Amino acid sequence: MRINRLLSFLVVLLFTAIVMVGAFGTSWNTVSELPQNPADQSNIEGIGMLIFTHYVAPFEVLSIVLLASLIGAIYLAKGEGNR
Amino acid sequence: MVKTALKEFAFLIPLLPALAFVITFFFGRKMSSGGAIVPILAIAASFVISLVITLRLLANPGEVISQSYSWFAVLNIGVLIDPLAAVMLSMVSFVSLLIHIYAVSYMAGDPGEARYFAETALFTAAMLSLVLSDNILQLFVSWELVGLCSYLLIGFWFERPSAAAAAKKAFLTTRVGDVMFLTGIIILTSDLLKLAGGFQDGTYLLRFDEIFSYIPQLSALHSNIFGFEVSHLTIITLLFFGGAIGKSGQFPLHVWLPDAMEGPTTVSALIHAATMVTAGVYLVARTFPMFIAAPDSLMVIAYLGGFTALFAGTMGIVMNDLKRVLAYSTISQLGYMMLGLGLGSAIGLEAVGISLFHLINHAFFKALLFLCAGSVIHAVGTQDMRELGGVRKVMPITAATMTIAALALAGFGIPGTSIGTSGFFSKDAIIEAAYLFGEHSNNWIPYAFSIAAALLTSIYIFRLIFMTFTGKPRSNYHGHESPAIMTIPLSILAIFALVFGGLTKTGFMDFLKETFANSFVNLNIGSLAALGRNQILEAAGHESLFVQWLPMIVAIAGLAVAFIIYYLRIIKLGPLASMKNPVYRLLYKRYYQHEIYTEFFSLGIVYGIIAFLSQVLDVIIDSIVEGIGILTVGVSEELRKVQTGVIQTYATAVILGVSLLIILVKLITEVL
Amino acid sequence: MIPLIFYLGLAALLFSIGLYGVMTHKNGIRMIMCIELMLNSANLNLVAFSSYTDTLNGQVFAIFSIALAAAEAAVGFAILMAIYRMHDKINLDELNILRW
């Protein structure tokens, strides 16, 4: 178990190192200054507009997925005992 | 308008029987007499189309029918009806039609009737397709297909061990020839590709006109084989002839043909007398320009054909089985046809004419002989001539037609006139050509072969006639004349055997000369012959009266011998025709072919080597195979433990793998 | 302003912690929690990129992914419950019936 744990730790360390090297080694193309709007600090309205216009189809699909997983979870958790 | 319309139907000639095959094969059992009516109608339609096309072609021999469709790459499928194909088409469909009608009665009541008619329909389709194919590959495909049908039909009564063995023997023996043929095609194709500079769109490389146009270049290609400089053309033509040897039962691959008589007699008549066995002759005739341009190939054909004619004849005189006599006679006559083609080195294109003339005439009278024999066997129930005798009294029509066929086979007629049986004209043409050849090259061997074979032909066929039809019955049999559906085809064939040769003698030869000079191919045979160092006689000289009469004289002599021994029975053959006489024993044992081919060569050498090798290889291969198996099991026993069934292990392995992969990719892209 | 790389580093660390948890913990519930951690580190990335490129798409994606994580967690826990009911245990390394 100890050895297993050590091995896992080494693997994770290796993985982290790789990701870190990748992240730090890349020159990210970002905006120079975060946009500031003193009047309205929130972007909820923008997100809402996007969800219900451009992303309305994925949104509807997501609702079906949630419903299906809900039913599935209930079915699985309910068990066979009290049918 | 009508003419163009007719051309469009040329492809129907093989297609109709093929369709009949499908129908009869699947629904024949539910129809009366095995669904025979379907193939009969289909072949009748094919015959009508062939005949009309032939007549059209006869009026205008230069305008051949040629249709080609691209198959793949530079290969094509197509239809070519030139004079050579036209006469074969008409003959094959006609003989096949008559034999199918005859078979309705002959095969009546056989449990495999529907299968019989389906297979013969397929055979006819394949044979017709062979005849009218316009390229060597389609010809080969059909060639194999007729071989298959031959195998199926020889083994038609497969429950008999002898029939199954005969079918196998025929298949294997002809396969030897077929492999040679295929090798020839492969060499030809590779040479042509080399000469044409690879695949080129729009040309059909293996079409005959394309092949013929490359003959000069092919003959210039040389290879060194066992220290001899051999022209590629010679190799290819000899390999083609190898195929013809197998198919047409020439020495030394003739052994299957007598055994093939295990099939129904109608099959023997259709396949092993009239049509399929002549495919070899047809192949040589079809590619004749190649043969004439190849040094030595024609000489090989002439010698082998002549030798086969004589060799088979000697065995024919001692056989006691009705059908076996006819089988040896077929081999002998095929030898004549090959001899006729081989004489092309002296007489040029006329060789195709005389050979095909004999082929057509032979098809008529040999099919007739077989059908008559079938009629006798059907009525009497035995095919051993020693048990027959006096059949003439119970079967007058059969006896008459068979006698006509025998006269045609022996070649009776009056030289110098146009009176004579059909066999007379064609066989005499070949013998006279052999004489011309002898005069021309001072090589009398083919002539000697052909005259000796003519004598033997006459002896064995009249021996058969006298032993079967005259004298007193030598066993208790109850014969009766065959029904009209059998005797009518016999009579029609008898008429053809009697008069066809006389009526078409000169016209036929002139017609066949157009084969290689028409709208499809136009070849200068003289220059091709010069390539093969063959000198073609300009004009046929007039033979002396003796030469003209000699074949007739030997035929009459043969008749006389047979008459004295087997009709008058003045000379007792007792001691001569017994196993004590070494010559008789040699002939009766068929030159110990069975011992040499089957027991010594096949069973002894081939089987022995294979048995030895299999012993050795068993040990080697077994240890290799088993070693691999043991190794695999051992390694997997250990490796399977990787599959722990615990998710964490898998997750670790996946992450480790991904990490190492990224490092590896990075190393490869950065360092290298 | 905080450079983007800080967010990315944080997300990578979070992911590694989650990964280490998945690899070492036997308990199914803990494993699912670790998986959630990994998912959320990805969400953090999404939001960070979204902000630093001045578009809202990434944030919408993050919302979607949170919703999917909820569904996944629901099903995951339901499966765990079913397993517990059948085998009376929840340690996944003992449930190795799919091994060799």
Side-chain angles (χ1 to χ4, degrees):
Chain A
M1 262 315 105
R2 270 306 113 195
I3 290 176
N4 242 348
R5 223 159 246 241
L6 188 65
L7 181 71
S8 300
F9 185 73
L10 288 178
V11 169
V12 169
L13 210 60
L14 179 68
F15 182 78
T16 318
I18 288 171
V19 174
M20 287 294 184
V21 168
F24 280 90
T26 314
S27 63
W28 299 102
N29 186 17
T30 55
V31 289
S32 51
E33 193 69 28
L34 282 182
Q36 297 290 329
N37 190 354
D40 183 10
Q41 289 281 340
S42 97
N43 52 11
I44 299 294
E45 190 187 346
I47 292 171
M49 283 306 286
L50 262 181
I51 286 177
F52 288 102
T53 54
H54 194 243
Y55 290 108
V56 69
F59 183 72
E60 293 298 333
V61 172
L62 187 68
S63 69
I64 293 168
V65 171
L66 277 174
L67 182 65
S69 68
L70 184 68
I71 295 169
I74 290 171
Y75 176 78
L76 280 171
K78 201 172 151 223
E80 300 169 55
N82 38 0
R83 154 175 314 195
Chain B
M1 180 63 202
V2 180
K3 196 169 176 178
T4 39
L6 188 76
K7 272 186 182 180
E8 302 302 318
F9 290 124
F11 70 93
L12 279 180
I13 295 173
L15 216 57
L16 284 174
L19 206 63
F21 156 70
V22 174
I23 295 172
T24 318
F25 188 75
F26 286 108
F27 308 110
R29 260 158 294 184
K30 297 193 180 71
M31 299 186 206
S32 63
S33 66
I37 190 71
V38 182
I40 288 176
L41 285 180
I43 293 168
S46 293
F47 171 60
V48 170
I49 300 174
S50 314
L51 193 65
V52 174
I53 286 177
T54 309
L55 292 178
R56 285 264 160 74
L57 208 57
L58 208 53
N60 189 2
E63 288 298 311
V64 302
I65 296 175
S66 161
Q67 297 160 347
S68 297
Y69 307 97
S70 182
W71 183 9
F72 66 90
V74 288
L75 304 177
N76 70 311
I77 49 175
V79 170
L80 166 66
I81 305 183
D82 58 2
L84 178 65
V87 293
M88 280 292 281
L89 277 182
S90 310
M91 183 279 284
V92 169
S93 51
F94 179 59
V95 172
S96 177
L97 175 64
L98 290 182
I99 292 175
H100 271 82
I101 293 170
Y102 176 96
V104 171
S105 166
Y106 188 81
M107 296 304 291
D110 194 284
E113 218 180 354
R115 185 161 53 88
Y116 170 84
F117 281 109
E119 284 169 1
T120 49
L122 178 64
F123 168 78
T124 309
M127 189 69 205
L128 291 169
S129 147
L130 189 158
V131 168
L132 50 66
S133 64
D134 73 340
N135 62 85
I136 198 85
L137 197 68
Q138 187 187 345
L139 194 145
F140 180 74
V141 172
S142 315
W143 177 278
E144 290 298 321
L145 209 52
V146 291
L148 169 73
C149 293
S150 162
Y151 165 76
L152 290 173
L153 285 164
I154 293 170
F156 180 71
W157 288 312
F158 52 80
E159 62 273 19
R160 283 193 212 156
S162 61
K168 198 164 66 185
K169 186 174 184 180
F171 198 72
L172 291 177
T173 314
T174 48
R175 194 67 45 240
V176 176
D178 292 354
V179 168
M180 284 196 263
F181 185 18
L182 183 60
T183 316
I185 293 175
I186 291 169
I187 295 176
L188 175 66
T189 314
S190 79
D191 279 353
L192 286 184
L193 278 177
K194 213 184 300 165
L195 291 173
F199 293 98
Q200 273 163 355
D201 286 340
T203 56
Y204 297 136
L205 200 62
L206 289 182
R207 209 165 68 164
F208 289 116
D209 56 345
E210 198 73 18
I211 296 174
F212 293 159
S213 72
Y214 280 109
I215 287 177
Q217 285 108 302
L218 276 177
S219 100
L221 284 177
H222 282 80
S223 281
N224 198 327
I225 296 175
F226 300 129
F228 292 99
E229 280 288 301
V230 187
S231 162
H232 276 208
L233 199 61
T234 309
I235 301 171
I236 294 165
T237 48
L238 283 180
L239 285 169
F240 280 11
F241 181 57
I245 286 177
K247 207 59 132 191
S248 289
Q250 298 296 290
F251 179 83
L253 294 181
H254 62 280
V255 287
W256 64 274
L257 193 51
D259 286 7
M261 300 300 135
E262 287 291 341
T265 308
T266 45
V267 169
S268 307
L270 176 62
I271 299 183
H272 306 119
T275 54
M276 188 194 81
V277 289
T278 62
V281 180
Y282 180 78
L283 170 67
V284 177
R286 173 52 83 204
T287 54
F288 195 72
M290 297 171 73
F291 278 88
I292 206 164
D296 308 328
S297 287
L298 283 177
M299 201 55 77
V300 173
I301 296 180
Y303 280 130
L304 213 54
F307 178 69
T308 307
L310 180 62
F311 179 72
T314 56
M315 286 183 281
I317 40 177
V318 297
M319 289 298 124
N320 288 321
D321 182 312
L322 206 53
K323 284 173 72 181
R324 272 181 195 269
V325 175
L326 296 179
Y328 280 112
S329 158
T330 304
I331 298 174
S332 173
Q333 299 301 312
L334 288 166
Y336 268 115
M337 295 169 209
M338 285 295 183
L339 172 64
L341 285 169
L343 297 173
S345 57
I347 56 174
L349 268 192
E350 210 173 319
V352 177
I354 59 173
S355 179
L356 258 286
F357 192 39
H358 194 51
L359 191 159
I360 302 290
N361 289 333
H362 172 257
F364 289 133
F365 63 68
K366 188 50 65 66
L368 175 57
L369 278 171
F370 268 108
L371 293 185
C372 289
S375 176
V376 170
I377 295 164
H378 194 59
V380 178
T382 176
Q383 54 194 56
D384 192 330
M385 289 196 290
R386 287 167 300 192
E387 295 174 12
L388 293 166
V391 179
R392 176 172 49 108
K393 294 199 184 65
V394 287
M395 307 180 77
I397 300 176
T398 307
T401 51
M402 192 144 184
T403 309
I404 290 171
L407 289 172
L409 174 62
F412 273 78
I414 301 169
T417 64
S418 29
I419 302 167
T421 54
S422 56
F424 164 71
F425 294 104
S426 52
K427 195 195 239 174
D428 270 19
I430 293 175
I431 295 176
E432 270 171 36
Y435 179 82
L436 277 179
F437 176 82
E439 253 186 353
H440 178 60
S441 60
N442 246 337
N443 183 350
W444 295 97
I445 296 171
Y447 185 61
F449 276 148
S450 62
I451 286 287
L455 177 66
L456 290 175
T457 305
S458 181
I459 294 177
Y460 67 66
I461 194 63
F462 286 111
R463 170 176 174 267
L464 182 147
I465 294 285
F466 289 133
M467 277 183 84
T468 307
F469 290 107
T470 62
K472 292 195 185 73
R474 285 184 288 275
S475 67
N476 274 330
Y477 60 78
H478 303 283
H480 55 85
E481 184 56 274
S482 298
I485 195 167
M486 284 165 84
T487 53
I488 286 171
L490 292 185
S491 312
I492 296 173
L493 278 174
I495 292 166
F496 271 88
L498 207 52
V499 301
F500 183 80
L503 289 181
T504 59
K505 189 176 57 169
T506 48
F508 192 93
M509 306 279 185
D510 293 340
F511 186 44
L512 263 270
K513 270 186 195 153
E514 307 285 340
T515 304
F516 298 111
N518 51 42
S519 57
F520 184 67
V521 285
N522 203 343
L523 299 171
N524 184 349
I525 292 298
S527 69
L528 290 179
L531 282 176
R533 296 194 289 280
N534 293 317
Q535 279 186 315
I536 293 176
L537 291 175
E538 284 309 319
H542 247 313
E543 299 92 1
S544 65
L545 214 56
F546 175 71
V547 174
Q548 285 189 29
W549 275 91
L550 189 60
M552 194 57 225
I553 292 169
V554 296
I556 292 170
L559 171 62
V561 170
F563 185 74
I564 291 167
I565 297 177
Y566 296 102
Y567 185 75
L568 299 176
R569 295 184 178 269
I570 295 170
I571 302 171
K572 288 281 175 267
L573 278 182
L576 203 62
S578 77
M579 286 305 188
K580 291 204 183 71
N581 183 348
V583 177
Y584 181 84
R585 198 168 61 220
L586 180 69
L587 294 180
Y588 191 80
K589 288 271 183 188
R590 296 184 255 153
Y591 295 95
Y592 297 99
Q593 282 160 21
H594 180 76
E595 283 75 6
I596 294 172
Y597 279 68
T598 309
E599 289 183 359
F600 177 69
F601 190 70
S602 301
L603 288 178
I605 295 182
V606 177
Y607 185 78
I609 289 173
I610 289 170
F612 173 72
L613 283 181
S614 68
Q615 291 279 321
V616 175
L617 291 180
D618 257 9
V619 176
I620 297 172
I621 292 176
D622 272 12
S623 52
I624 291 173
V625 170
E626 282 172 15
I628 290 173
I630 291 166
L631 191 72
T632 314
V633 170
V635 169
S636 59
E637 267 303 326
E638 295 306 311
L639 275 182
R640 62 190 283 206
K641 298 200 170 129
V642 171
Q643 308 291 335
T644 56
V646 180
I647 305 167
Q648 279 102 343
T649 324
Y650 297 137
T652 314
V654 167
I655 296 298
L656 187 63
V658 168
S659 309
L660 292 180
L661 204 62
I662 289 170
I663 292 171
L664 192 69
V665 170
K666 195 72 182 163
L667 277 180
I668 288 173
T669 51
E670 297 287 305
V671 178
L672 299 180
Chain C
M1 136 188 164
I2 307 164
L4 173 64
I5 197 69
F6 283 22
Y7 292 99
L8 298 187
L10 176 65
L13 275 177
L14 273 179
F15 190 89
S16 300
I17 291 166
L19 191 62
Y20 180 72
V22 169
M23 282 180 184
T24 50
H25 287 298
K26 315 284 179 219
N27 193 307
I29 293 169
R30 283 189 183 183
M31 277 179 71
I32 287 180
M33 286 160 70
C34 290
I35 291 171
E36 291 298 318
L37 200 57
M38 287 156 78
L39 259 172
N40 282 318
S41 79
N43 287 343
L44 185 60
N45 265 359
L46 278 175
V47 175
F49 279 120
S50 171
S51 292
Y52 278 79
T53 50
D54 199 15
T55 50
L56 288 177
N57 290 350
Q59 301 186 31
V60 177
F61 269 40
I63 289 172
F64 283 159
S65 117
I66 288 166
L68 275 176
E72 172 254 312
V75 175
F77 282 121
I79 290 172
L80 277 179
M81 278 181 73
I83 289 173
Y84 178 72
R85 209 173 286 139
M86 259 191 269
H87 298 282
D88 258 348
K89 59 185 137 188
I90 206 153
N91 282 356
L92 291 182
D93 63 334
E94 291 166 31
L95 294 167
N96 54 359
I97 50 168
L98 277 181
R99 66 172 179 167
W100 47 276

